[in-house]
mmCIF file with all atom_site columns, all heavy atoms in Angstrom:
data_model
loop_
_atom_site.group_PDB
_atom_site.id
_atom_site.type_symbol
_atom_site.label_atom_id
_atom_site.label_alt_id
_atom_site.label_comp_id
_atom_site.label_asym_id
_atom_site.label_entity_id
_atom_site.label_seq_id
_atom_site.pdbx_PDB_ins_code
_atom_site.Cartn_x
_atom_site.Cartn_y
_atom_site.Cartn_z
_atom_site.occupancy
_atom_site.B_iso_or_equiv
_atom_site.pdbx_formal_charge
_atom_site.auth_seq_id
_atom_site.auth_comp_id
_atom_site.auth_asym_id
_atom_site.auth_atom_id
_atom_site.pdbx_PDB_model_num
ATOM 1   N N   . GLY S 1 1  ? 103.389 28.118 50.299 1.00 0.00 ? 1176 GLY S N   1
ATOM 2   C CA  . GLY S 1 1  ? 104.517 28.444 51.158 1.00 0.00 ? 1176 GLY S CA  1
ATOM 3   C C   . GLY S 1 1  ? 104.397 27.798 52.518 1.00 0.00 ? 1176 GLY S C   1
ATOM 4   O O   . GLY S 1 1  ? 104.073 26.612 52.636 1.00 0.00 ? 1176 GLY S O   1
ATOM 5   N N   . ALA S 1 2  ? 104.640 28.582 53.562 1.00 0.00 ? 1177 ALA S N   1
ATOM 6   C CA  . ALA S 1 2  ? 104.557 28.051 54.925 1.00 0.00 ? 1177 ALA S CA  1
ATOM 7   C C   . ALA S 1 2  ? 103.152 27.577 55.265 1.00 0.00 ? 1177 ALA S C   1
ATOM 8   O O   . ALA S 1 2  ? 102.976 26.664 56.084 1.00 0.00 ? 1177 ALA S O   1
ATOM 9   C CB  . ALA S 1 2  ? 105.025 29.114 55.928 1.00 0.00 ? 1177 ALA S CB  1
ATOM 10  N N   . ASN S 1 3  ? 102.145 28.157 54.641 1.00 0.00 ? 1178 ASN S N   1
ATOM 11  C CA  . ASN S 1 3  ? 100.764 27.728 54.903 1.00 0.00 ? 1178 ASN S CA  1
ATOM 12  C C   . ASN S 1 3  ? 100.517 26.292 54.448 1.00 0.00 ? 1178 ASN S C   1
ATOM 13  O O   . ASN S 1 3  ? 99.621  25.618 54.955 1.00 0.00 ? 1178 ASN S O   1
ATOM 14  C CB  . ASN S 1 3  ? 99.775  28.650 54.193 1.00 0.00 ? 1178 ASN S CB  1
ATOM 15  C CG  . ASN S 1 3  ? 99.736  30.042 54.778 1.00 0.00 ? 1178 ASN S CG  1
ATOM 16  O OD1 . ASN S 1 3  ? 100.204 30.260 55.888 1.00 0.00 ? 1178 ASN S OD1 1
ATOM 17  N ND2 . ASN S 1 3  ? 99.187  30.993 54.035 1.00 0.00 ? 1178 ASN S ND2 1
ATOM 18  N N   . SER S 1 4  ? 101.290 25.811 53.480 1.00 0.00 ? 1179 SER S N   1
ATOM 19  C CA  . SER S 1 4  ? 101.061 24.455 52.957 1.00 0.00 ? 1179 SER S CA  1
ATOM 20  C C   . SER S 1 4  ? 101.476 23.375 53.942 1.00 0.00 ? 1179 SER S C   1
ATOM 21  O O   . SER S 1 4  ? 101.202 22.194 53.715 1.00 0.00 ? 1179 SER S O   1
ATOM 22  C CB  . SER S 1 4  ? 101.791 24.268 51.624 1.00 0.00 ? 1179 SER S CB  1
ATOM 23  O OG  . SER S 1 4  ? 103.195 24.347 51.782 1.00 0.00 ? 1179 SER S OG  1
ATOM 24  N N   . SER S 1 5  ? 102.119 23.772 55.051 1.00 0.00 ? 1180 SER S N   1
ATOM 25  C CA  . SER S 1 5  ? 102.456 22.770 56.076 1.00 0.00 ? 1180 SER S CA  1
ATOM 26  C C   . SER S 1 5  ? 101.252 22.418 56.929 1.00 0.00 ? 1180 SER S C   1
ATOM 27  O O   . SER S 1 5  ? 101.332 21.518 57.768 1.00 0.00 ? 1180 SER S O   1
ATOM 28  C CB  . SER S 1 5  ? 103.591 23.286 56.964 1.00 0.00 ? 1180 SER S CB  1
ATOM 29  O OG  . SER S 1 5  ? 103.137 24.347 57.794 1.00 0.00 ? 1180 SER S OG  1
ATOM 30  N N   . MET S 1 6  ? 100.128 23.116 56.721 1.00 0.00 ? 1181 MET S N   1
ATOM 31  C CA  . MET S 1 6  ? 98.890  22.821 57.456 1.00 0.00 ? 1181 MET S CA  1
ATOM 32  C C   . MET S 1 6  ? 97.967  22.008 56.552 1.00 0.00 ? 1181 MET S C   1
ATOM 33  O O   . MET S 1 6  ? 97.422  22.544 55.584 1.00 0.00 ? 1181 MET S O   1
ATOM 34  C CB  . MET S 1 6  ? 98.213  24.122 57.899 1.00 0.00 ? 1181 MET S CB  1
ATOM 35  C CG  . MET S 1 6  ? 99.034  24.912 58.902 1.00 0.00 ? 1181 MET S CG  1
ATOM 36  S SD  . MET S 1 6  ? 98.250  26.463 59.439 1.00 0.00 ? 1181 MET S SD  1
ATOM 37  C CE  . MET S 1 6  ? 98.588  27.520 58.017 1.00 0.00 ? 1181 MET S CE  1
ATOM 38  N N   . PRO S 1 7  ? 97.791  20.710 56.845 1.00 0.00 ? 1182 PRO S N   1
ATOM 39  C CA  . PRO S 1 7  ? 97.023  19.842 55.937 1.00 0.00 ? 1182 PRO S CA  1
ATOM 40  C C   . PRO S 1 7  ? 95.628  20.352 55.624 1.00 0.00 ? 1182 PRO S C   1
ATOM 41  O O   . PRO S 1 7  ? 95.137  20.174 54.510 1.00 0.00 ? 1182 PRO S O   1
ATOM 42  C CB  . PRO S 1 7  ? 96.969  18.509 56.696 1.00 0.00 ? 1182 PRO S CB  1
ATOM 43  C CG  . PRO S 1 7  ? 98.188  18.526 57.559 1.00 0.00 ? 1182 PRO S CG  1
ATOM 44  C CD  . PRO S 1 7  ? 98.372  19.954 57.968 1.00 0.00 ? 1182 PRO S CD  1
ATOM 45  N N   . HIS S 1 8  ? 94.963  20.952 56.607 1.00 0.00 ? 1183 HIS S N   1
ATOM 46  C CA  . HIS S 1 8  ? 93.626  21.500 56.387 1.00 0.00 ? 1183 HIS S CA  1
ATOM 47  C C   . HIS S 1 8  ? 93.629  23.018 56.549 1.00 0.00 ? 1183 HIS S C   1
ATOM 48  O O   . HIS S 1 8  ? 92.718  23.602 57.134 1.00 0.00 ? 1183 HIS S O   1
ATOM 49  C CB  . HIS S 1 8  ? 92.603  20.844 57.323 1.00 0.00 ? 1183 HIS S CB  1
ATOM 50  C CG  . HIS S 1 8  ? 92.142  19.518 56.828 1.00 0.00 ? 1183 HIS S CG  1
ATOM 51  N ND1 . HIS S 1 8  ? 91.067  18.855 57.379 1.00 0.00 ? 1183 HIS S ND1 1
ATOM 52  C CD2 . HIS S 1 8  ? 92.591  18.720 55.842 1.00 0.00 ? 1183 HIS S CD2 1
ATOM 53  C CE1 . HIS S 1 8  ? 90.887  17.696 56.750 1.00 0.00 ? 1183 HIS S CE1 1
ATOM 54  N NE2 . HIS S 1 8  ? 91.801  17.600 55.812 1.00 0.00 ? 1183 HIS S NE2 1
ATOM 55  N N   . GLY S 1 9  ? 94.648  23.666 55.994 1.00 0.00 ? 1184 GLY S N   1
ATOM 56  C CA  . GLY S 1 9  ? 94.732  25.110 56.037 1.00 0.00 ? 1184 GLY S CA  1
ATOM 57  C C   . GLY S 1 9  ? 93.603  25.762 55.247 1.00 0.00 ? 1184 GLY S C   1
ATOM 58  O O   . GLY S 1 9  ? 93.011  25.163 54.355 1.00 0.00 ? 1184 GLY S O   1
ATOM 59  N N   . VAL S 1 10 ? 93.320  27.005 55.591 1.00 0.00 ? 1185 VAL S N   1
ATOM 60  C CA  . VAL S 1 10 ? 92.239  27.767 54.953 1.00 0.00 ? 1185 VAL S CA  1
ATOM 61  C C   . VAL S 1 10 ? 92.858  28.793 54.005 1.00 0.00 ? 1185 VAL S C   1
ATOM 62  O O   . VAL S 1 10 ? 93.805  29.491 54.377 1.00 0.00 ? 1185 VAL S O   1
ATOM 63  C CB  . VAL S 1 10 ? 91.377  28.469 56.018 1.00 0.00 ? 1185 VAL S CB  1
ATOM 64  C CG1 . VAL S 1 10 ? 90.304  29.318 55.367 1.00 0.00 ? 1185 VAL S CG1 1
ATOM 65  C CG2 . VAL S 1 10 ? 90.756  27.432 56.954 1.00 0.00 ? 1185 VAL S CG2 1
ATOM 66  N N   . PRO S 1 11 ? 92.340  28.913 52.775 1.00 0.00 ? 1186 PRO S N   1
ATOM 67  C CA  . PRO S 1 11 ? 92.884  29.907 51.841 1.00 0.00 ? 1186 PRO S CA  1
ATOM 68  C C   . PRO S 1 11 ? 92.891  31.303 52.457 1.00 0.00 ? 1186 PRO S C   1
ATOM 69  O O   . PRO S 1 11 ? 91.914  31.730 53.085 1.00 0.00 ? 1186 PRO S O   1
ATOM 70  C CB  . PRO S 1 11 ? 91.933  29.826 50.646 1.00 0.00 ? 1186 PRO S CB  1
ATOM 71  C CG  . PRO S 1 11 ? 91.350  28.458 50.706 1.00 0.00 ? 1186 PRO S CG  1
ATOM 72  C CD  . PRO S 1 11 ? 91.243  28.129 52.164 1.00 0.00 ? 1186 PRO S CD  1
ATOM 73  N N   . SER S 1 12 ? 93.994  32.019 52.247 1.00 0.00 ? 1187 SER S N   1
ATOM 74  C CA  . SER S 1 12 ? 94.167  33.342 52.845 1.00 0.00 ? 1187 SER S CA  1
ATOM 75  C C   . SER S 1 12 ? 94.426  34.370 51.745 1.00 0.00 ? 1187 SER S C   1
ATOM 76  O O   . SER S 1 12 ? 94.399  34.070 50.551 1.00 0.00 ? 1187 SER S O   1
ATOM 77  C CB  . SER S 1 12 ? 95.342  33.317 53.821 1.00 0.00 ? 1187 SER S CB  1
ATOM 78  O OG  . SER S 1 12 ? 96.574  33.234 53.105 1.00 0.00 ? 1187 SER S OG  1
ATOM 79  N N   . ASP S 1 13 ? 94.722  35.585 52.176 1.00 0.00 ? 1188 ASP S N   1
ATOM 80  C CA  . ASP S 1 13 ? 95.058  36.660 51.239 1.00 0.00 ? 1188 ASP S CA  1
ATOM 81  C C   . ASP S 1 13 ? 96.525  36.640 50.844 1.00 0.00 ? 1188 ASP S C   1
ATOM 82  O O   . ASP S 1 13 ? 96.998  37.544 50.146 1.00 0.00 ? 1188 ASP S O   1
ATOM 83  C CB  . ASP S 1 13 ? 94.716  38.016 51.855 1.00 0.00 ? 1188 ASP S CB  1
ATOM 84  C CG  . ASP S 1 13 ? 93.216  38.218 52.009 1.00 0.00 ? 1188 ASP S CG  1
ATOM 85  O OD1 . ASP S 1 13 ? 92.473  37.839 51.077 1.00 0.00 ? 1188 ASP S OD1 1
ATOM 86  O OD2 . ASP S 1 13 ? 92.779  38.725 53.060 1.00 0.00 ? 1188 ASP S OD2 1
ATOM 87  N N   . LYS S 1 14 ? 97.253  35.613 51.262 1.00 0.00 ? 1189 LYS S N   1
ATOM 88  C CA  . LYS S 1 14 ? 98.671  35.519 50.928 1.00 0.00 ? 1189 LYS S CA  1
ATOM 89  C C   . LYS S 1 14 ? 98.857  35.304 49.418 1.00 0.00 ? 1189 LYS S C   1
ATOM 90  O O   . LYS S 1 14 ? 98.287  34.373 48.849 1.00 0.00 ? 1189 LYS S O   1
ATOM 91  C CB  . LYS S 1 14 ? 99.312  34.347 51.678 1.00 0.00 ? 1189 LYS S CB  1
ATOM 92  C CG  . LYS S 1 14 ? 100.769 34.102 51.295 1.00 0.00 ? 1189 LYS S CG  1
ATOM 93  C CD  . LYS S 1 14 ? 101.279 32.772 51.806 1.00 0.00 ? 1189 LYS S CD  1
ATOM 94  C CE  . LYS S 1 14 ? 102.688 32.475 51.311 1.00 0.00 ? 1189 LYS S CE  1
ATOM 95  N NZ  . LYS S 1 14 ? 102.792 32.444 49.829 1.00 0.00 ? 1189 LYS S NZ  1
ATOM 96  N N   . PRO S 1 15 ? 99.670  36.134 48.752 1.00 0.00 ? 1190 PRO S N   1
ATOM 97  C CA  . PRO S 1 15 ? 99.975  35.883 47.333 1.00 0.00 ? 1190 PRO S CA  1
ATOM 98  C C   . PRO S 1 15 ? 100.968 34.722 47.211 1.00 0.00 ? 1190 PRO S C   1
ATOM 99  O O   . PRO S 1 15 ? 101.844 34.557 48.061 1.00 0.00 ? 1190 PRO S O   1
ATOM 100 C CB  . PRO S 1 15 ? 100.612 37.194 46.856 1.00 0.00 ? 1190 PRO S CB  1
ATOM 101 C CG  . PRO S 1 15 ? 100.396 38.193 47.957 1.00 0.00 ? 1190 PRO S CG  1
ATOM 102 C CD  . PRO S 1 15 ? 100.263 37.400 49.219 1.00 0.00 ? 1190 PRO S CD  1
ATOM 103 N N   . VAL S 1 16 ? 100.819 33.919 46.174 1.00 0.00 ? 1191 VAL S N   1
ATOM 104 C CA  . VAL S 1 16 ? 101.815 32.871 45.946 1.00 0.00 ? 1191 VAL S CA  1
ATOM 105 C C   . VAL S 1 16 ? 103.089 33.539 45.427 1.00 0.00 ? 1191 VAL S C   1
ATOM 106 O O   . VAL S 1 16 ? 103.038 34.531 44.693 1.00 0.00 ? 1191 VAL S O   1
ATOM 107 C CB  . VAL S 1 16 ? 101.302 31.792 44.968 1.00 0.00 ? 1191 VAL S CB  1
ATOM 108 C CG1 . VAL S 1 16 ? 100.069 31.110 45.514 1.00 0.00 ? 1191 VAL S CG1 1
ATOM 109 C CG2 . VAL S 1 16 ? 101.022 32.361 43.589 1.00 0.00 ? 1191 VAL S CG2 1
ATOM 110 N N   . ALA S 1 17 ? 104.228 32.971 45.820 1.00 0.00 ? 1192 ALA S N   1
ATOM 111 C CA  . ALA S 1 17 ? 105.511 33.596 45.507 1.00 0.00 ? 1192 ALA S CA  1
ATOM 112 C C   . ALA S 1 17 ? 106.482 32.573 44.938 1.00 0.00 ? 1192 ALA S C   1
ATOM 113 O O   . ALA S 1 17 ? 106.317 31.359 45.121 1.00 0.00 ? 1192 ALA S O   1
ATOM 114 C CB  . ALA S 1 17 ? 106.092 34.246 46.765 1.00 0.00 ? 1192 ALA S CB  1
ATOM 115 N N   . ASP S 1 18 ? 107.483 33.065 44.264 1.00 0.00 ? 1193 ASP S N   1
ATOM 116 C CA  . ASP S 1 18 ? 108.526 32.209 43.713 1.00 0.00 ? 1193 ASP S CA  1
ATOM 117 C C   . ASP S 1 18 ? 109.144 31.372 44.829 1.00 0.00 ? 1193 ASP S C   1
ATOM 118 O O   . ASP S 1 18 ? 109.461 31.881 45.905 1.00 0.00 ? 1193 ASP S O   1
ATOM 119 C CB  . ASP S 1 18 ? 109.609 33.077 43.053 1.00 0.00 ? 1193 ASP S CB  1
ATOM 120 C CG  . ASP S 1 18 ? 110.695 32.238 42.413 1.00 0.00 ? 1193 ASP S CG  1
ATOM 121 O OD1 . ASP S 1 18 ? 110.437 31.653 41.344 1.00 0.00 ? 1193 ASP S OD1 1
ATOM 122 O OD2 . ASP S 1 18 ? 111.803 32.154 42.993 1.00 0.00 ? 1193 ASP S OD2 1
ATOM 123 N N   . GLY S 1 19 ? 109.286 30.082 44.591 1.00 0.00 ? 1194 GLY S N   1
ATOM 124 C CA  . GLY S 1 19 ? 109.851 29.171 45.582 1.00 0.00 ? 1194 GLY S CA  1
ATOM 125 C C   . GLY S 1 19 ? 108.834 28.535 46.503 1.00 0.00 ? 1194 GLY S C   1
ATOM 126 O O   . GLY S 1 19 ? 109.199 27.729 47.368 1.00 0.00 ? 1194 GLY S O   1
ATOM 127 N N   . ASP S 1 20 ? 107.551 28.877 46.329 1.00 0.00 ? 1195 ASP S N   1
ATOM 128 C CA  . ASP S 1 20 ? 106.485 28.266 47.132 1.00 0.00 ? 1195 ASP S CA  1
ATOM 129 C C   . ASP S 1 20 ? 106.072 26.914 46.572 1.00 0.00 ? 1195 ASP S C   1
ATOM 130 O O   . ASP S 1 20 ? 106.077 26.707 45.352 1.00 0.00 ? 1195 ASP S O   1
ATOM 131 C CB  . ASP S 1 20 ? 105.220 29.133 47.129 1.00 0.00 ? 1195 ASP S CB  1
ATOM 132 C CG  . ASP S 1 20 ? 105.280 30.299 48.093 1.00 0.00 ? 1195 ASP S CG  1
ATOM 133 O OD1 . ASP S 1 20 ? 106.225 30.377 48.891 1.00 0.00 ? 1195 ASP S OD1 1
ATOM 134 O OD2 . ASP S 1 20 ? 104.352 31.143 48.036 1.00 0.00 ? 1195 ASP S OD2 1
ATOM 135 N N   . PHE S 1 21 ? 105.667 26.025 47.471 1.00 0.00 ? 1196 PHE S N   1
ATOM 136 C CA  . PHE S 1 21 ? 104.785 24.929 47.096 1.00 0.00 ? 1196 PHE S CA  1
ATOM 137 C C   . PHE S 1 21 ? 103.357 25.452 47.219 1.00 0.00 ? 1196 PHE S C   1
ATOM 138 O O   . PHE S 1 21 ? 103.032 26.198 48.155 1.00 0.00 ? 1196 PHE S O   1
ATOM 139 C CB  . PHE S 1 21 ? 104.954 23.724 48.014 1.00 0.00 ? 1196 PHE S CB  1
ATOM 140 C CG  . PHE S 1 21 ? 105.894 22.669 47.510 1.00 0.00 ? 1196 PHE S CG  1
ATOM 141 C CD1 . PHE S 1 21 ? 106.796 22.045 48.380 1.00 0.00 ? 1196 PHE S CD1 1
ATOM 142 C CD2 . PHE S 1 21 ? 105.874 22.266 46.179 1.00 0.00 ? 1196 PHE S CD2 1
ATOM 143 C CE1 . PHE S 1 21 ? 107.664 21.063 47.919 1.00 0.00 ? 1196 PHE S CE1 1
ATOM 144 C CE2 . PHE S 1 21 ? 106.742 21.278 45.707 1.00 0.00 ? 1196 PHE S CE2 1
ATOM 145 C CZ  . PHE S 1 21 ? 107.635 20.683 46.577 1.00 0.00 ? 1196 PHE S CZ  1
ATOM 146 N N   . LEU S 1 22 ? 102.494 25.064 46.301 1.00 0.00 ? 1197 LEU S N   1
ATOM 147 C CA  . LEU S 1 22 ? 101.073 25.395 46.360 1.00 0.00 ? 1197 LEU S CA  1
ATOM 148 C C   . LEU S 1 22 ? 100.299 24.085 46.365 1.00 0.00 ? 1197 LEU S C   1
ATOM 149 O O   . LEU S 1 22 ? 100.362 23.321 45.396 1.00 0.00 ? 1197 LEU S O   1
ATOM 150 C CB  . LEU S 1 22 ? 100.667 26.248 45.159 1.00 0.00 ? 1197 LEU S CB  1
ATOM 151 C CG  . LEU S 1 22 ? 99.164  26.519 44.989 1.00 0.00 ? 1197 LEU S CG  1
ATOM 152 C CD1 . LEU S 1 22 ? 98.636  27.382 46.136 1.00 0.00 ? 1197 LEU S CD1 1
ATOM 153 C CD2 . LEU S 1 22 ? 98.880  27.184 43.646 1.00 0.00 ? 1197 LEU S CD2 1
ATOM 154 N N   . THR S 1 23 ? 99.592  23.819 47.464 1.00 0.00 ? 1198 THR S N   1
ATOM 155 C CA  . THR S 1 23 ? 98.805  22.601 47.588 1.00 0.00 ? 1198 THR S CA  1
ATOM 156 C C   . THR S 1 23 ? 97.332  22.927 47.399 1.00 0.00 ? 1198 THR S C   1
ATOM 157 O O   . THR S 1 23 ? 96.804  23.840 48.035 1.00 0.00 ? 1198 THR S O   1
ATOM 158 C CB  . THR S 1 23 ? 99.019  21.945 48.969 1.00 0.00 ? 1198 THR S CB  1
ATOM 159 O OG1 . THR S 1 23 ? 100.380 21.536 49.080 1.00 0.00 ? 1198 THR S OG1 1
ATOM 160 C CG2 . THR S 1 23 ? 98.135  20.712 49.132 1.00 0.00 ? 1198 THR S CG2 1
ATOM 161 N N   . MET S 1 24 ? 96.684  22.167 46.521 1.00 0.00 ? 1199 MET S N   1
ATOM 162 C CA  . MET S 1 24 ? 95.262  22.348 46.234 1.00 0.00 ? 1199 MET S CA  1
ATOM 163 C C   . MET S 1 24 ? 94.540  21.028 46.466 1.00 0.00 ? 1199 MET S C   1
ATOM 164 O O   . MET S 1 24 ? 94.774  20.051 45.764 1.00 0.00 ? 1199 MET S O   1
ATOM 165 C CB  . MET S 1 24 ? 95.067  22.808 44.783 1.00 0.00 ? 1199 MET S CB  1
ATOM 166 C CG  . MET S 1 24 ? 95.664  24.166 44.483 1.00 0.00 ? 1199 MET S CG  1
ATOM 167 S SD  . MET S 1 24 ? 95.699  24.545 42.693 1.00 0.00 ? 1199 MET S SD  1
ATOM 168 C CE  . MET S 1 24 ? 97.064  23.476 42.163 1.00 0.00 ? 1199 MET S CE  1
ATOM 169 N N   . ASP S 1 25 ? 93.675  21.002 47.481 1.00 0.00 ? 1200 ASP S N   1
ATOM 170 C CA  . ASP S 1 25 ? 92.868  19.831 47.836 1.00 0.00 ? 1200 ASP S CA  1
ATOM 171 C C   . ASP S 1 25 ? 91.417  20.232 47.620 1.00 0.00 ? 1200 ASP S C   1
ATOM 172 O O   . ASP S 1 25 ? 90.917  21.164 48.257 1.00 0.00 ? 1200 ASP S O   1
ATOM 173 C CB  . ASP S 1 25 ? 93.126  19.457 49.298 1.00 0.00 ? 1200 ASP S CB  1
ATOM 174 C CG  . ASP S 1 25 ? 92.441  18.159 49.712 1.00 0.00 ? 1200 ASP S CG  1
ATOM 175 O OD1 . ASP S 1 25 ? 91.518  17.704 49.002 1.00 0.00 ? 1200 ASP S OD1 1
ATOM 176 O OD2 . ASP S 1 25 ? 92.813  17.604 50.768 1.00 0.00 ? 1200 ASP S OD2 1
ATOM 177 N N   . PHE S 1 26 ? 90.724  19.545 46.721 1.00 0.00 ? 1201 PHE S N   1
ATOM 178 C CA  . PHE S 1 26 ? 89.406  20.009 46.308 1.00 0.00 ? 1201 PHE S CA  1
ATOM 179 C C   . PHE S 1 26 ? 88.602  18.846 45.735 1.00 0.00 ? 1201 PHE S C   1
ATOM 180 O O   . PHE S 1 26 ? 89.125  17.770 45.457 1.00 0.00 ? 1201 PHE S O   1
ATOM 181 C CB  . PHE S 1 26 ? 89.537  21.121 45.262 1.00 0.00 ? 1201 PHE S CB  1
ATOM 182 C CG  . PHE S 1 26 ? 90.310  20.700 44.038 1.00 0.00 ? 1201 PHE S CG  1
ATOM 183 C CD1 . PHE S 1 26 ? 89.659  20.285 42.890 1.00 0.00 ? 1201 PHE S CD1 1
ATOM 184 C CD2 . PHE S 1 26 ? 91.699  20.698 44.036 1.00 0.00 ? 1201 PHE S CD2 1
ATOM 185 C CE1 . PHE S 1 26 ? 90.364  19.867 41.770 1.00 0.00 ? 1201 PHE S CE1 1
ATOM 186 C CE2 . PHE S 1 26 ? 92.417  20.279 42.924 1.00 0.00 ? 1201 PHE S CE2 1
ATOM 187 C CZ  . PHE S 1 26 ? 91.740  19.865 41.786 1.00 0.00 ? 1201 PHE S CZ  1
ATOM 188 N N   . GLY S 1 27 ? 87.323  19.090 45.545 1.00 0.00 ? 1202 GLY S N   1
ATOM 189 C CA  . GLY S 1 27 ? 86.449  18.085 44.946 1.00 0.00 ? 1202 GLY S CA  1
ATOM 190 C C   . GLY S 1 27 ? 85.066  18.660 44.785 1.00 0.00 ? 1202 GLY S C   1
ATOM 191 O O   . GLY S 1 27 ? 84.715  19.672 45.383 1.00 0.00 ? 1202 GLY S O   1
ATOM 192 N N   . CYS S 1 28 ? 84.266  17.990 43.975 1.00 0.00 ? 1203 CYS S N   1
ATOM 193 C CA  . CYS S 1 28 ? 82.907  18.458 43.735 1.00 0.00 ? 1203 CYS S CA  1
ATOM 194 C C   . CYS S 1 28 ? 81.944  17.281 43.790 1.00 0.00 ? 1203 CYS S C   1
ATOM 195 O O   . CYS S 1 28 ? 82.355  16.118 43.769 1.00 0.00 ? 1203 CYS S O   1
ATOM 196 C CB  . CYS S 1 28 ? 82.808  19.156 42.383 1.00 0.00 ? 1203 CYS S CB  1
ATOM 197 S SG  . CYS S 1 28 ? 83.192  18.091 40.958 1.00 0.00 ? 1203 CYS S SG  1
ATOM 198 N N   . MET S 1 29 ? 80.655  17.609 43.853 1.00 0.00 ? 1204 MET S N   1
ATOM 199 C CA  . MET S 1 29 ? 79.610  16.599 43.882 1.00 0.00 ? 1204 MET S CA  1
ATOM 200 C C   . MET S 1 29 ? 78.826  16.630 42.577 1.00 0.00 ? 1204 MET S C   1
ATOM 201 O O   . MET S 1 29 ? 78.521  17.699 42.053 1.00 0.00 ? 1204 MET S O   1
ATOM 202 C CB  . MET S 1 29 ? 78.674  16.812 45.066 1.00 0.00 ? 1204 MET S CB  1
ATOM 203 C CG  . MET S 1 29 ? 79.355  16.646 46.401 1.00 0.00 ? 1204 MET S CG  1
ATOM 204 S SD  . MET S 1 29 ? 78.193  16.718 47.792 1.00 0.00 ? 1204 MET S SD  1
ATOM 205 C CE  . MET S 1 29 ? 77.394  15.115 47.639 1.00 0.00 ? 1204 MET S CE  1
ATOM 206 N N   . LEU S 1 30 ? 78.515  15.450 42.083 1.00 0.00 ? 1205 LEU S N   1
ATOM 207 C CA  . LEU S 1 30 ? 77.694  15.293 40.897 1.00 0.00 ? 1205 LEU S CA  1
ATOM 208 C C   . LEU S 1 30 ? 76.714  14.156 41.154 1.00 0.00 ? 1205 LEU S C   1
ATOM 209 O O   . LEU S 1 30 ? 77.130  13.048 41.501 1.00 0.00 ? 1205 LEU S O   1
ATOM 210 C CB  . LEU S 1 30 ? 78.561  14.982 39.676 1.00 0.00 ? 1205 LEU S CB  1
ATOM 211 C CG  . LEU S 1 30 ? 77.812  14.825 38.349 1.00 0.00 ? 1205 LEU S CG  1
ATOM 212 C CD1 . LEU S 1 30 ? 77.224  16.160 37.902 1.00 0.00 ? 1205 LEU S CD1 1
ATOM 213 C CD2 . LEU S 1 30 ? 78.739  14.284 37.264 1.00 0.00 ? 1205 LEU S CD2 1
#
């Protein structure tokens, strides 16, 4: 939702809702 306008936003307790964009930026090391 509105949190996705922050490129480096921190995951919060906000539930995802109908009409939201959900952005997931992630990676792992191997």
Side-chain angles (χ1 to χ4, degrees):
N1178 291 343
S1179 65
S1180 70
M1181 295 180 282
H1183 279 191
V1185 177
S1187 72
D1188 292 319
K1189 175 193 175 301
V1191 299
D1193 182 74
D1195 280 352
F1196 265 138
L1197 172 66
T1198 296
M1199 296 169 286
D1200 186 343
F1201 58 98
C1203 62
M1204 296 186 74
L1205 181 68

